[in-house]
Amino acid sequence: MIKTPQNMKDYTDQIRATLKEKFLQTTLNNFATSYKASRAKAFSGMDLEALREEIACAKDAALPRLEELLEEFTRHAEADGVKVHFAKTAQEANAIIAAIAKENNVKTIVKSKSMTAEETFLNDHLEKQGLKVTETDLGEWIIQLRHEGPSHMVMPAIHLSRYQVGDLFTGVSGEEQDPENIDKLVKVARKQLRPRFIEADMGISGANFAMADSGAIGIVTNEGNARLTTTLPRVHVTLAGVDKLIPDIKTALTALKGLTRNATGQGITSYVTWIKGQPPCGASEKEVQTRHIVFLDNGRLALAKDPVFSEVLRCIRCGACANVCPIYRILGGHTYGHVYIGAIGLILTFFYHGRDNARAIVKNCLNCQSCKVVCPAKIDLPYLIKKVYREVMDEDGKRPLRNRLLARVMGNRKLFHTLLKNAWMAQAPIADGPKIRHLPTIFGRKHDFRTIPVLAKHPLRDQWSSFKPVVRNPKLKVALFAGCAQDFIYPQQAKDAVTLLASYGVDVDLPMDQTCCGLPLLMMAENETAKEVAEQNLKALDTDRYDYILTLCASCGSHIKENYPKLLQKENAVPEGVKKLEEKIIDFSSFMVNVLKVTADDFRVSGKKVAYHAPCHLCRGLDVVEEPRELMRVAGLDYVPAADEDVCCGFSGSYSVDFPEVSEQLLRRKVANMEATGADIVVTDCPGCVMQISGGMDKHASRMRVCHMAEILREMRKKE
Amino acid sequence: MENGKNKELFKEKAEAIQTLVSSAATPEVIAAYTVDLTADQGGKTIALAGFDEETLAALLPDLKEKAKAKGIEVLEPPFRPHLENIHTGLTPALWGIAQTGTLVLRSADENLRIATMLAETHVCVLDPATIYPSTDELAPLLDAAIKENGAAYMAFITGPSRTADIERVLSIGVHGPEFLHILFKEEKADD
């Protein structure tokens, strides 16, 4: 039933079709906005970071012990009369459950929501055996009736409108339903499903927790259907991934605190149910319920032992990685996953449903870090998505030509820089002043949603010796990591920063052996070359000689700080030199505010109205949030907050080339939000964002100017 | 003092999620409240489960009498034969959790489960002395309760049954009770 595109061509077609679904985009957009507010409210007054750390540590401690926990759980559960099964594969799990149904003479089954059952396509299997299976979670029932998969882990039918549900329920109930009356639609489900609960021979549930020291399970729900599913039928079967095993109830209660707040912004759901042994059951001749628990492996045990990927099993299925994802917000779950959707879905699809289903979707990540910072179990989702991308390429046995070329060129700094310089010559015929307004037709019109800046005639590195200001008795010595964009496209941004810093007695060097930070390589899963350039930069940026390593590019900064330790670790330890680099690297706004402690006296009072775009890699990658806003205020600018300031502009390097339609949508929204502020200028902290947003402003004939923080700061600085 | 704070917080949190909370319930008040509420809603039946012998002796005769006067039947367990005609479920809670306004019900008794799951309205009696600040303080008790010999079915109930599965619009009463009323048991003034 679920068909996921297995190549980029089919996937692009699916994306184009999805972009025409206006209801979907409106509803997901509203959801993204309201989710942010309700989540913040749910966690207010709590130490969220400590909780995330606690959940991550508790899961990490359990994962290497899964087999042991399974044995302990089985011992306790079986002592209380519950039969525990272990299924190596999805097919095995389905066969076990069908056999339980058969031996208990089961005809009808009610199910409460289980993502694991979605994973194994359990319903299809049971229906083929002639069993009547009814989903009872409202959302799951709706998609079962429509023969669809869930489009969200927590809200499976979020993609549907009240009108679609109204039509569906009119058909099911045989009575005309008023789609405007959602309360009444919900009551249709109550009325239609009650008899199903009462007649059911068997109930199938999932489990959020399986506690080894008691053999009890925990189920988290809102509707009350799981309580009915586990109470009324004479047989109850639980299907759970083996990763749901945890040592004890304390671990469950800790995870629960993060789960409900992160999933739906609720302090707790309406119902949390803890079941152990065989509860009394009037429908059973034995007067107690027959209970079975099926633990599904399907690759989990191997995954738990993987040094890189084991952390995906920390997932507690809150669905938040989709809620905050700017791509999910545009495409919805059916175009952004297979069975599991969102960031975690891109990863799990590869492990649970194979590389054919993962191949195209796994490329669809901006690396904007939104999911990483919201994950209650601190899974580094964007990093692992790139790792899966690489696994897919390796298993397919072919790296695209673009990858091989990129790796070869970037691995050699001199070759890379020579090519960039030559490229300036090549683009001359299509350039229109400082911009390329229309790409040659071979690129296709879908890339024409923004203008692209031309490469600078003289890169920063070529101007450096004649430009470098002389600073006598410097207060601080700083190395500038320019990054490709400022070196070759926007040298003026770097020059403005250096001039400004000189006025504060900061002596800036540009170490010439530096090269691309390597993020574009990691984005294309070229890890080996990403590691090579990281080593080159580590050597070039001689940390002992400088007080700080300054970067004006949030992406370079966050890549160096976050990913270099991962790329360059040796025998699971981060070398001293890398640690020093990690400590010394700093972004422009933080340097101005926290190191130089600039004051309002240094700047003219202009009262210029500015809007701000928070680069993904600054506000999440480097966790720098307050400093840029503070800096704009100190510099005498009238900063007007915009909607979705911290949502990705859609650039993300090669992403915008692979997924131009999605990038265009993100840019369109960014431009609209910026224009709505009524400001004259957009300020940001990343040359990539400057490039994307000014390209969008051009296409939308906007009068707004887009500039880097360093440029506007230099303009505002009082003359000496 | 500390418990007064828990009680206040519990009330505030429960009321924020469509739950009605009343104080100082004696057995007479519980009986009158449940019967009046059932009558107001046009309900015809009350299913009572989970009370200890002492409370039951004080509550049941009065409840039956008041119910009878309004044409309401107090159902006799087992409740399996009444799955489709339970209007009000009346049960005690074992503990409360202040931070979230959560009731904890010892629910191994099938009649109690049926009364709290299939009713339109659930009236639950909670002793304020058993309200804990959060799950942190409750964890050891819950752990022990689950590990008691035999089967366990412990239920956290927080507000009425709810869903937001259609266009994320909150709707109350999808599969479980549509109304949840909590009666704080009268506190003994012996200290």
Side-chain angles (χ1 to χ4, degrees):
Chain A
M1 276 185 297
I2 298 177
K3 279 210 176 85
T4 298
Q6 308 200 339
N7 58 60
M8 277 303 283
K9 193 192 158 295
D10 291 350
Y11 193 33
T12 305
D13 290 346
Q14 190 191 23
I15 287 172
R16 283 183 191 153
T18 305
L19 288 174
K20 290 182 187 140
E21 293 176 31
K22 292 296 166 224
F23 168 78
L24 184 72
Q25 296 187 22
T26 309
T27 197
L28 293 177
N29 214 23
N30 294 341
F31 172 47
T33 308
S34 65
Y35 169 74
K36 215 183 268 182
S38 58
R39 176 181 185 263
K41 197 172 156 220
F43 280 114
S44 73
M46 289 176 76
D47 187 346
L48 175 56
E49 282 318 299
L51 179 62
R52 293 174 75 217
E53 187 64 34
E54 208 181 333
I55 295 172
C57 288
K59 287 293 273 185
D60 277 353
L63 289 174
R65 298 177 50 217
L66 284 182
E67 278 145 316
E68 203 183 307
L69 293 174
L70 177 63
E71 195 202 288
E72 191 186 346
F73 183 96
T74 307
R75 189 153 34 84
H76 287 291
E78 299 204 330
D80 283 321
V82 178
K83 177 90 181 107
V84 179
H85 308 257
F86 178 76
K88 196 86 195 122
T89 63
Q91 293 76 4
E92 236 179 88
N94 293 345
I96 290 169
I97 295 171
I100 296 168
K102 198 172 171 197
E103 83 197 24
N104 288 283
N105 196 23
V106 166
K107 302 275 181 285
T108 56
I109 296 173
V110 281
K111 260 184 79 204
S112 65
K113 198 162 136 24
S114 158
M115 277 311 296
T116 314
E118 296 287 343
E119 176 184 330
T120 67
F121 302 102
L122 176 63
N123 289 2
D124 293 350
H125 184 83
L126 296 178
E127 280 163 3
K128 272 185 207 144
Q129 317 287 316
L131 293 156
K132 188 176 158 198
V133 186
T134 308
E135 291 286 353
T136 61
D137 171 86
L138 176 58
E140 286 282 331
W141 188 50
I142 293 169
I143 61 165
Q144 184 189 28
L145 292 170
R146 288 175 55 96
H147 308 289
E148 288 179 330
S151 76
H152 190 281
M153 285 208 281
V154 178
M155 293 161 290
I158 191 173
H159 57 290
L160 297 171
S161 72
R162 61 188 73 190
Y163 305 101
Q164 289 166 299
V165 176
D167 287 348
L168 188 70
F169 282 9
T170 295
V172 171
S173 63
E175 286 167 45
E176 188 64 28
Q177 300 295 335
D178 173 11
E180 297 299 345
N181 192 339
I182 288 180
D183 278 334
K184 257 193 98 189
L185 289 178
V186 169
K187 294 295 180 290
V188 171
R190 184 183 180 95
K191 198 174 154 202
Q192 294 285 323
L193 292 174
R194 266 296 160 91
R196 301 288 89 77
F197 283 118
I198 292 170
E199 75 184 10
D201 302 310
M202 181 160 125
I204 299 176
S205 74
N208 294 85
F209 312 108
M211 288 150 304
D213 71 343
S214 60
I217 60 159
I219 309 177
V220 182
T221 67
N222 268 317
E223 298 183 358
N225 61 317
R227 282 159 50 83
L228 291 165
T229 301
T230 58
T231 291
L232 295 182
R234 58 191 161 83
V235 183
H236 169 208
V237 177
T238 303
L239 173 62
V242 72
D243 54 317
K244 294 292 165 64
L245 282 158
I246 49 172
D248 47 34
I249 188 117
K250 192 170 167 288
T251 313
L253 292 172
T254 301
L256 182 65
K257 281 186 212 169
L259 173 61
T260 61
R261 290 179 173 88
N262 222 46
T264 53
Q266 290 174 280
I268 194 166
T269 48
S270 301
Y271 305 109
V272 181
T273 306
W274 311 95
I275 309 172
K276 187 199 70 169
Q278 297 179 277
C281 180
S284 165
E285 282 173 15
K286 296 178 290 180
E287 292 183 352
V288 291
Q289 197 176 40
T290 301
R291 287 192 63 221
H292 293 261
I293 299 178
V294 182
F295 283 107
L296 175 68
D297 178 4
N298 202 18
R300 288 166 171 82
L301 290 179
L303 204 51
K305 292 189 178 75
D306 188 286
V308 175
F309 287 112
S310 65
E311 78 181 61
V312 304
L313 294 180
R314 286 184 200 156
C315 176
I316 54 172
R317 305 283 189 266
C318 68
C321 53
N323 302 356
V324 298
C325 173
I327 301 174
Y328 174 82
R329 184 173 175 170
I330 288 173
L331 298 178
H334 285 160
T335 309
Y336 201 51
H338 180 59
V339 171
Y340 293 100
I341 62 101
I344 192 75
L346 301 193
I347 302 168
L348 292 181
T349 298
F350 174 70
F351 292 104
Y352 299 161
H353 296 109
R355 76 172 190 278
D356 285 342
N357 289 311
R359 185 177 297 113
I361 59 174
V362 75
K363 288 176 144 184
N364 200 357
C365 172
L366 291 153
N367 189 33
C368 78
Q369 315 276 312
S370 299
C371 51
K372 178 177 169 176
V373 298
V374 85
C375 176
K378 293 184 85 167
I379 305 171
D380 191 347
L381 294 149
Y383 184 77
L384 294 176
I385 288 169
K386 296 303 167 195
K387 283 279 189 188
V388 167
Y389 177 25
R390 179 54 187 262
E391 294 284 319
V392 171
M393 282 195 291
D394 284 351
E395 280 193 20
D396 275 350
K398 51 181 183 204
R399 280 155 68 212
L401 177 67
R402 191 179 68 181
N403 275 61
R404 280 179 281 144
L405 281 178
L406 184 78
R408 193 176 318 153
V409 170
M410 299 284 241
N412 181 337
R413 182 190 70 77
K414 282 186 183 153
L415 172 62
F416 173 47
H417 287 166
T418 307
L419 284 172
L420 276 174
K421 285 175 198 174
N422 291 342
W424 179 80
M425 302 287 288
Q427 68 190 359
I430 55 168
D432 174 9
K435 308 267 175 162
I436 297 171
R437 298 198 182 274
H438 297 288
L439 285 168
T441 46
I442 52 158
F443 289 97
R445 289 188 51 188
K446 62 186 180 175
H447 294 283
D448 237 359
F449 63 93
R450 58 181 175 193
T451 62
I452 295 172
V454 299
L455 293 170
K457 186 172 180 186
H458 301 292
L460 181 66
R461 55 179 58 239
D462 291 2
Q463 304 180 47
W464 187 254
S465 58
S466 56
F467 162 73
K468 183 179 167 15
V470 179
V471 180
R472 297 192 199 286
N473 306 317
K475 283 202 297 191
L476 291 166
K477 259 188 98 54
V478 165
L480 177 66
F481 184 80
C484 309
Q486 271 161 349
D487 198 347
F488 290 89
I489 300 169
Y490 296 124
Q492 193 56 46
Q493 294 175 2
K495 285 162 73 178
D496 282 343
V498 173
T499 309
L500 185 70
L501 293 178
S503 76
Y504 285 98
V506 178
D507 186 27
V508 181
D509 264 354
L510 181 70
M512 287 294 163
D513 285 343
Q514 63 179 279
T515 183
C516 169
C517 68
L519 180 61
L521 289 156
L522 200 73
M523 283 290 289
M524 291 172 73
E526 289 296 331
N527 288 47
E528 296 84 351
T529 321
K531 190 179 165 193
E532 276 172 39
V533 297
E535 272 161 355
Q536 282 177 47
N537 285 325
L538 181 65
K539 213 170 132 200
L541 302 167
D542 183 355
T543 47
D544 289 334
R545 290 182 54 204
Y546 302 104
D547 300 302
Y548 292 93
I549 313 291
L550 176 70
T551 173
L552 308 182
C553 175
S555 297
C556 300
S558 121
H559 177 62
I560 291 173
K561 200 170 184 119
E562 278 283 287
N563 295 329
Y564 275 24
K566 283 186 180 175
L567 287 165
L568 299 176
Q569 64 170 312
K570 286 188 179 116
E571 286 142 19
N572 288 326
V574 179
E576 278 309 306
V578 181
K579 278 190 198 156
K580 254 190 212 159
L581 180 58
E582 197 186 332
E583 279 160 24
K584 289 192 176 181
I585 191 119
I586 190 165
D587 65 284
F588 179 73
S589 290
S590 300
F591 188 76
M592 295 298 285
V593 172
N594 300 335
V595 179
L596 295 184
K597 299 190 169 50
V598 296
T599 65
D601 289 345
D602 303 342
F603 298 93
R604 298 187 279 125
V605 178
S606 75
K608 269 188 190 167
K609 270 177 99 172
V610 296
Y612 179 67
H613 163 69
C616 302
H617 293 143
L618 189 73
C619 67
R620 289 178 291 273
L622 292 171
D623 198 18
V624 174
V625 177
E626 283 310 314
E627 285 81 354
R629 278 121 178 148
E630 169 72 12
L631 187 54
M632 288 184 288
R633 277 188 285 264
V634 167
L637 297 164
D638 178 13
Y639 156 56
V640 191
D644 289 337
E645 246 172 38
D646 59 354
V647 174
C648 184
C649 64
F651 175 60
S652 188
S654 59
Y655 181 87
S656 57
V657 180
D658 284 334
F659 295 96
E661 290 91 349
V662 180
S663 179
E664 177 180 6
Q665 281 296 323
L666 288 165
L667 181 55
R668 188 190 297 271
R669 291 174 187 200
K670 181 56 71 180
V671 167
N673 285 332
M674 290 291 141
E675 287 200 312
T677 61
D680 307 303
I681 304 172
V682 180
V683 179
T684 188
D685 279 289
C686 186
C689 305
V690 170
M691 189 188 308
Q692 172 88 344
I693 300 172
S694 62
M697 291 290 177
D698 269 353
K699 278 284 169 184
H700 289 87
S702 169
R703 48 169 193 84
M704 285 185 99
R705 175 190 161 203
V706 185
C707 66
H708 192 282
M709 185 72 84
E711 294 174 277
I712 190 87
L713 263 271
R714 192 195 161 189
E715 286 170 31
M716 295 298 111
R717 177 82 159 116
K718 275 182 188 162
K719 298 282 178 276
E720 306 268 300
Chain B
M1 172 73 184
E2 188 58 32
N3 210 260
K5 239 171 72 185
N6 289 339
K7 186 180 160 187
E8 278 316 299
L9 181 62
F10 180 96
K11 189 169 188 293
E12 181 198 321
K13 293 293 179 182
E15 284 174 344
I17 39 163
Q18 299 85 22
T19 304
L20 276 137
V21 185
S22 312
S23 282
T26 59
E28 292 85 341
V29 172
I30 296 169
Y33 188 100
T34 309
V35 169
D36 289 349
L37 178 65
T38 308
D40 285 350
Q41 293 178 341
K44 292 284 171 223
T45 55
I46 294 170
L48 167 148
F51 289 97
D52 60 58
E53 292 296 330
E54 192 190 336
T55 314
L56 207 57
L59 177 61
L60 195 55
D62 191 25
L63 182 77
K64 281 187 172 165
E65 196 187 310
K66 287 190 163 90
K68 198 175 171 193
K70 300 221 172 181
I72 293 166
E73 185 191 356
V74 177
L75 298 168
E76 289 296 325
F79 298 143
R80 274 264 169 193
H82 302 289
L83 294 177
E84 285 173 286
N85 66 339
I86 298 172
H87 184 272
T88 303
L90 173 60
T91 73
L94 184 58
W95 301 306
I97 304 168
Q99 193 184 44
T100 47
T102 300
L103 300 163
V104 184
L105 274 72
R106 189 193 292 277
S107 310
D109 173 8
E110 189 186 36
N111 290 317
L112 182 136
R113 273 181 282 146
I114 289 171
T116 60
M117 290 175 192
L118 289 133
E120 303 298 312
T121 299
H122 178 196
V123 178
C124 191
V125 182
L126 174 66
D127 181 352
T130 62
I131 300 176
Y132 292 83
S134 73
T135 49
D136 293 343
E137 295 76 15
L138 192 69
L141 294 168
L142 181 65
D143 190 40
I146 289 173
K147 285 177 181 164
E148 275 171 20
N149 279 337
Y153 196 116
M154 299 295 292
F156 286 12
I157 298 178
T158 312
S161 156
R162 66 188 58 224
T163 188
D165 272 353
I166 303 175
E167 287 198 21
R168 295 187 308 103
V169 176
L170 177 67
S171 192
I172 301 297
V174 51
H175 291 301
E178 192 170 350
F179 304 97
L180 177 63
H181 291 244
I182 297 173
L183 305 179
F184 281 146
K185 204 167 148 184
E186 183 193 35
E187 287 164 276
K188 296 205 176 81
D190 57 1
D191 49 1

